[in-house]
Amino acid sequence: MSQKHLKEAFISNLNGTSLLEISAGLVLAPLCLLCRGLLLILYYLHYGKHLHSRKYSLLFDFLVLISPLLFCCTVLSRIIFFMPAIIATFCAGIFGVIYSQKKHEIQVPFRQIVKDFQKTPLDPEYIPAITVFRVYVNVLTSISILAVDFPQYPRRYAKAETYGTGAMDLGVGAFIFGNALVCPEVRCKSHVRQPKFSSLAKQFFSVWPLIFLGIGRLLSVKSLKYHEHTSEYGVHWNFFFTLAFVRLAASLLLAIFPKTKSWIIAINLAVLYQLILNTTSLKMFILHGSNGRDSRVGFLNANREGLLSLFGYLAIYMASVQVGLCLLKCRPTVKGWTEAVCFSLLMICVLFVFLHVSQVYADPVSRRMANLSYCIWVVAHCLTLFLCFVVTDLTLVFTKLLVKGASVPSCWDIGKPPSTSRRHGREAVPVWSKGRLSHMCLISAINKNQLLFFLLANVMTGAINILIDTVRSKAAFTLSILHLYMFFSCLVMHVLHAKNIVLKFW
């Protein structure tokens, strides 16, 4: 078997893992973020200053935010269910140290601190969890696309062949979800009147880099005879094309229908698509081609997975638009976000009930078809991950109330307490500082050039696979390559951010 066919077989015919293991893995990123925030607050508490060194801040962010994920998806994957508990215990210990050191200085009882915490003003225009969610989806995707070619990356985390829930199956949908959260239709202010199809025209212009990258990837893969999983998207199709066409189709729908009703469009799309799959021969066509023997003759046959899964991805995008609109409703205090967290928990429980019903009576989860169960699964897990980031931010806000002057990049800053302002007879004026300390933050650096980060990861993945026999690599070598690969990608983003360079002109 040639090296190309060996690598293709290595990532084919897989069945994914359990929903519980996916959920356990999702908690790791928010816990790493929490650990990093608590360590920065503890550093400020001990030294009375912030970590200003760019060199040390990059190394610190990489070791706390990225490195644990590399270990957990490779050599520590066997104890993945214990890792959240281990990191959470470490975070609890740090919080205990912080609280014990401040306990004697705080003159108010703990109950009063909690009441003041509920009234704490937060910037309604800046939701750090959205940025962190999108960055971490990009980071986890970048890790997986290279790690999947090494034997230390469990086969159950790779994309399932037909049915199943692999970690990489979720990553594809999460990318769509994250893009929709910040799409122009969501970010547009409701009081600003714009021509109905102006956003559509802008989207036609803005997706050309994705189409260009899709064509570039197609030509490079074919010319280099690079290994590819044909049943993933087809012979010529790839994820860049999916992103571009989903954004265009969504902009067209949002230009016709009210964006506040996007959840109705999402449900109709997903349910109708599933009905067609179950009542016609479309499902057999996607799985086995027009001749029932996996024919790839003709453009539609050759790319049937990529073309027909667009309906499912479009449903995910439309549902995510509704989520984005709900998130941007003004919630100027911690109490408002606490209520939002409770409501989101209820919605997540409802989605998981629907997921169970869909898998029993309609079809199991299938990324290959992007069926109804897949759409529900992606939205439910993405909401869960986002909710974890919100809870992390709220926890750090509470900790910063204990340590006055402490600051954590890519986290809510605390405004002026309402009780203090009333004593002086005027309204609270929040002191926001979104840009402060941003030069030290790896999350801000990646966020500034997300598409470049993803493109760089793809190019480096291809180069490493060409130069190295990944399938036969040992654990130490695998971890070294993955760390160097991710650190170099982060370093490039860090340097660009330090020089305030944004490689985007469309």
Side-chain angles (χ1 to χ4, degrees):
M1 186 181 290
S2 68
Q3 189 73 6
K4 178 178 183 293
H5 290 105
L6 180 64
K7 290 189 174 184
E8 285 176 355
F10 194 57
I11 58 175
S12 301
N13 302 313
L14 305 172
N15 300 313
T17 185
S18 66
L19 294 178
L20 187 60
E21 186 169 12
I22 296 289
S23 300
L26 282 180
V27 182
L28 292 172
L31 285 173
C32 289
L33 188 71
L34 178 61
C35 181
R36 173 249 206 174
L38 291 173
L39 285 171
L40 287 173
I41 294 172
L42 184 63
Y43 179 89
Y44 178 82
L45 179 63
H46 273 280
Y47 297 100
K49 61 180 181 178
H50 302 293
L51 184 63
H52 288 296
S53 170
R54 290 181 179 178
K55 178 175 66 176
Y56 290 123
S57 66
L58 171 62
L59 186 61
F60 172 74
D61 277 357
F62 182 82
L63 290 177
V64 180
L65 299 178
I66 308 293
S67 189
L69 303 178
L70 288 170
F71 280 100
C72 287
C73 72
T74 51
V75 294
L76 297 181
S77 58
R78 292 181 181 178
I79 58 169
I80 191 69
F81 289 105
F82 297 100
M83 291 308 299
I86 293 170
I87 301 175
T89 302
F90 183 68
C91 290
I94 300 171
F95 180 82
V97 171
I98 293 171
Y99 183 72
S100 63
Q101 293 193 15
K102 297 298 293 183
K103 188 176 180 180
H104 300 294
E105 300 177 22
I106 301 170
Q107 301 301 318
V108 292
F110 186 79
R111 184 177 296 178
Q112 186 60 42
I113 296 174
V114 174
K115 287 183 179 179
D116 291 341
F117 170 65
Q118 288 289 316
K119 298 175 184 177
T120 302
L122 301 172
D123 186 357
E125 299 295 324
Y126 174 58
I127 305 173
I130 294 179
T131 299
V132 175
F133 175 89
R134 298 181 71 243
V135 167
Y136 256 117
V137 167
N138 209 330
V139 167
L140 291 168
T141 303
S142 299
I143 291 172
S144 296
I145 59 175
L146 176 60
V148 71
D149 294 312
F150 290 91
Q152 288 74 25
Y153 188 85
R155 296 302 89 195
R156 65 185 185 277
Y157 291 174
K159 289 176 181 174
E161 186 69 25
T162 302
Y163 295 106
T165 51
M168 294 185 73
D169 292 312
L170 178 62
V172 177
F175 232 104
I176 298 287
F177 186 95
N179 274 9
L181 288 180
V182 295
C183 71
E185 292 82 4
V186 171
R187 288 184 282 113
C188 178
K189 302 294 183 182
S190 57
H191 62 270
V192 179
R193 292 187 177 181
Q194 291 184 337
K196 203 165 187 180
F197 287 89
S198 63
S199 178
L200 181 61
K202 290 179 182 177
Q203 286 288 65
F204 268 108
F205 177 71
S206 66
V207 300
W208 74 262
L210 293 173
I211 296 175
F212 177 77
L213 290 173
I215 295 172
R217 189 184 191 284
L218 171 63
L219 294 176
S220 59
V221 166
K222 298 302 179 185
S223 61
L224 295 172
K225 295 183 179 179
Y226 190 76
H227 68 278
E228 54 184 331
H229 194 185
T230 304
S231 65
E232 187 177 349
Y233 295 106
V235 178
H236 311 104
W237 202 262
N238 58 58
F239 188 55
F240 290 112
F241 291 141
T242 295
L243 279 177
F245 281 91
V246 164
R247 284 178 60 177
L248 286 177
S251 294
L252 178 61
L253 288 174
L254 292 169
I256 298 171
F257 301 102
K259 61 184 181 181
T260 54
K261 305 297 181 184
S262 58
W263 65 277
I264 298 176
I265 302 170
I267 293 173
N268 286 331
L269 268 172
V271 172
L272 181 61
Y273 177 50
Q274 185 63 55
L275 285 173
I276 294 172
L277 285 173
N278 284 1
T279 58
T280 68
S281 59
L282 184 63
K283 184 191 297 186
M284 295 302 295
F285 172 71
I286 295 175
L287 299 180
H288 305 292
S290 57
N291 66 350
R293 289 176 293 183
D294 199 27
S295 170
R296 294 288 174 179
V297 178
F299 183 77
L300 182 58
N301 253 318
N303 304 285
R304 54 185 185 268
E305 293 92 350
L307 292 169
L308 293 171
S309 63
L310 288 174
F311 294 103
Y313 289 125
L314 183 57
I316 294 171
Y317 191 99
M318 297 303 291
S320 309
V321 167
Q322 190 70 56
V323 173
L325 292 172
C326 292
L327 291 174
L328 292 181
K329 288 181 179 178
C330 184
R331 295 186 181 90
T333 63
V334 167
K335 185 178 181 181
W337 275 101
T338 304
E339 293 170 353
V341 166
C342 294
F343 177 75
S344 299
L345 275 174
L346 178 62
M347 291 305 301
I348 289 168
C349 291
V350 170
L351 284 170
F352 275 111
V353 171
F354 284 147
L355 174 60
H356 175 72
V357 173
S358 177
Q359 292 210 96
V360 172
Y361 296 102
D363 228 359
V365 173
S366 173
R367 174 211 38 88
R368 188 173 177 182
M369 292 183 279
N371 57 5
L372 176 62
S373 296
Y374 178 76
C375 295
I376 298 173
W377 175 58
V378 167
V379 174
H381 272 76
C382 286
L383 273 177
T384 303
L385 178 58
F386 180 82
L387 197 62
C388 289
F389 284 128
V390 172
V391 172
T392 296
D393 281 334
L394 293 176
T395 306
L396 291 175
V397 168
F398 181 80
T399 311
K400 287 192 290 183
L401 281 175
L402 302 176
V403 185
K404 305 297 181 184
S407 183
V408 180
S410 295
C411 173
W412 270 312
D413 284 311
I414 301 173
K416 202 169 186 178
S419 56
T420 305
S421 62
R422 282 198 294 271
R423 281 193 219 108
H424 295 283
R426 56 188 172 84
E427 292 183 0
V429 181
V431 184
W432 316 122
S433 54
K434 290 180 281 185
R436 187 169 49 144
L437 296 177
S438 63
H439 65 282
M440 297 173 58
C441 184
L442 180 59
I443 292 171
S444 298
I446 296 173
N447 181 57
K448 210 165 194 176
N449 286 287
Q450 285 213 49
L451 184 58
L452 178 65
F453 181 81
F454 185 59
L455 178 60
L456 179 62
N458 273 267
V459 172
M460 290 178 65
T461 296
I464 291 169
N465 267 281
I466 291 171
L467 297 173
I468 296 172
D469 181 7
T470 57
V471 178
R472 298 184 179 89
S473 297
K474 302 296 182 182
F477 182 74
T478 297
L479 287 171
S480 300
I481 292 295
L482 289 175
H483 275 82
L484 287 172
Y485 154 78
M486 285 304 298
F487 186 77
F488 180 77
S489 300
C490 293
L491 178 63
V492 172
M493 298 302 108
H494 186 79
V495 171
L496 291 175
H497 187 48
K499 296 182 179 297
N500 199 28
I501 298 173
V502 182
L503 297 178
K504 183 177 179 179
F505 48 85
W506 54 89

